Amino acid sequence: MAQSVGIKDVARAAGVSVGTVSNVINRPDTVAGETRARVLSAIDRLGYVRSESARQLRAGRSRIMGLLVLDMGNPFFVDVARGAERAARAAGLGVMVCNSAQNAGEEAEYLSLFAEQRVRGVLLTPADATGRNIEAFRRHGIPFVLVDRVAEGTTECSVSVDDVAGGALAVRHLVDAGHRSIAYVSGPPALNQVRDRRTGALNALAEAGLGPDALRELPTERLDVAAGRDAGARLLGLADRPTAVFCANDLLALGVLQAMYAAGVTVPDDLAIVGYDDIEFAAAAAVPLTSVRQPAVTMGALAAELLLEETEQHEGERKRTHEHRRVVLQPELVVRRSSLAAR
């Protein structure tokens, strides 16, 4: 195995001190042109790469931002990561993306990893409903921003979407189309987003003079296509099957759509479907999917900007005092063919 080239090797090859090599790398304007050229030639010839981790340990700061999401298999979180990466890159930082898979234990392990790596800060969509993981991580003194979750009962920043309003948009649309019996494929009930979207759905029913029994909830353990297919099978087995279904995200909705197609149930004539997130696949589905759009890229970018502002103030780079903020974005209903049948 080839040995890595160190700064001492570069100094030896260039015939200069280690300090001179360090100055060429970090403060090139302080080194004479001929000496600088000789050092750069040695770096190129030897293939020297600076140890960023060692530099960060000496400086006590990192150029890496952590991002921990619920499910990287969900295109919604891919878009969140895109927005965060864009803002981080503009600030000269990189992003370490990790996936908790909606598992509190995996979330705890990744938060410990972030602490060990001394990341500059963390963008976090919590998987642990108890809040214990956040409390444990807070002891490390590393700033963090909650993403797709309101920072209730904490002082941290957060960037989220008004999911109560989003749930109301979805079900109000179905009620206006004439539906009076609606299923809610809800996902894990411990997730705030799932509960808030249900609250919005019930609010829309109440506005229309309908009671909570007009909403049939079908919980799932996960928020993926397979869970949606399973919920679709359960929906087909109901004796008094609802005429419409609202799903807590688009992956669930696509799974329900697959189950209906396999059973010969026509969407939207026999069953109207509305999803949530408006991922790219929603418009490309066999029956284009009506969905509640979340501004995912904007959410990721805003969260990263808040984190950068906090970490820079925390490290004394700015005189302006950082104020924790809770940014709540508004959702938008995008109507497509999956919910347009006349009733």
Side-chain angles (χ1 to χ4, degrees):
M1 181 183 294
Q3 291 185 333
S4 62
V5 176
I7 194 170
K8 291 182 180 178
D9 300 309
V10 174
R12 189 180 304 111
V16 298
S17 68
V18 169
T20 298
V21 176
S22 178
N23 284 337
V24 169
I25 295 171
N26 298 297
R27 296 176 295 278
D29 56 326
T30 65
V31 182
E34 182 181 346
T35 303
R36 185 167 65 245
R38 194 163 71 248
V39 171
L40 291 174
S41 176
I43 288 174
D44 183 62
R45 187 169 67 253
L46 297 175
Y48 168 74
V49 178
R50 177 172 64 173
S51 173
E52 181 64 17
S53 60
R55 187 194 70 80
Q56 290 174 8
L57 286 172
R58 289 192 299 272
R61 56 187 282 111
S62 172
R63 293 179 60 245
I64 298 296
M65 177 187 299
L67 171 62
L68 182 55
V69 300
L70 290 177
D71 181 12
M72 279 306 294
N74 186 339
F76 166 76
F77 287 111
V78 175
D79 286 344
V80 170
R82 283 176 48 217
E85 189 272 341
R86 186 179 301 167
R89 183 182 290 274
L93 304 182
V95 179
M96 180 192 297
V97 182
C98 297
N99 176 26
S100 71
Q102 303 174 40
N103 183 286
E106 293 190 30
E107 176 181 81
E109 291 177 6
Y110 279 125
L111 288 174
S112 294
L113 175 64
F114 288 154
E116 291 170 7
Q117 295 295 316
R118 302 186 186 183
V119 298
R120 189 168 197 149
V122 173
L123 305 177
L124 171 64
T125 303
D128 176 24
T130 69
R132 286 192 290 265
N133 286 342
I134 289 178
E135 285 303 316
F137 184 70
R138 189 179 279 114
R139 293 197 296 267
H140 296 290
I142 298 175
F144 63 91
V145 173
L146 299 182
V147 184
D148 195 31
R149 167 84 174 270
V150 178
E152 296 173 348
T154 71
T155 59
E156 281 75 27
C157 289
S158 66
V159 181
S160 61
V161 167
D162 188 341
D163 283 318
V164 174
L169 282 174
V171 172
R172 190 178 296 122
H173 167 68
L174 292 172
V175 169
D176 289 345
H179 297 282
R180 295 297 180 266
S181 178
I182 301 168
Y184 177 42
V185 178
S186 61
L191 293 179
N192 281 22
Q193 298 92 327
V194 167
R195 296 198 301 270
D196 286 348
R197 291 166 198 178
R198 179 179 183 272
T199 297
L202 292 172
N203 289 349
L205 291 174
E207 290 172 7
L210 300 172
D213 56 346
L215 191 72
R216 299 280 297 276
E217 186 166 1
L218 297 173
T220 64
E221 293 184 358
R222 303 190 60 77
L223 291 162
D224 55 24
V225 174
R229 285 196 298 267
D230 175 71
R234 284 184 280 153
L235 185 63
L236 289 167
L238 295 177
D240 53 343
R241 189 170 72 212
T243 60
V245 58
F246 166 45
C247 298
N249 77 358
D250 285 342
L251 296 183
L252 290 171
L254 291 171
V256 171
L257 180 61
Q258 289 179 7
M260 296 305 111
Y261 180 81
V265 175
T266 302
V267 174
D269 294 330
D270 298 327
L271 182 76
I273 302 177
V274 176
Y276 204 104
D277 290 339
D278 195 33
I279 61 176
E280 183 177 355
F281 300 129
V287 179
L289 185 66
T290 295
S291 184
V292 178
R293 176 179 293 165
Q294 297 200 82
V297 174
T298 299
M299 191 182 304
L302 285 175
E305 289 166 5
L306 286 173
L307 186 61
L308 287 166
E309 180 184 298
E310 181 175 358
T311 58
E312 288 167 357
Q313 188 276 330
H314 181 72
E315 293 163 3
E317 295 183 13
R318 290 183 179 179
K319 293 181 180 179
R320 182 164 60 91
T321 301
H322 170 77
E323 295 182 1
H324 289 305
R325 299 199 297 279
R326 296 179 182 179
V327 179
V328 181
L329 305 174
Q330 292 302 309
E332 173 190 358
L333 182 69
V334 181
V335 178
R336 300 190 181 95
R337 191 155 62 87
S338 71
S339 64
L340 285 180
R343 299 199 65 79

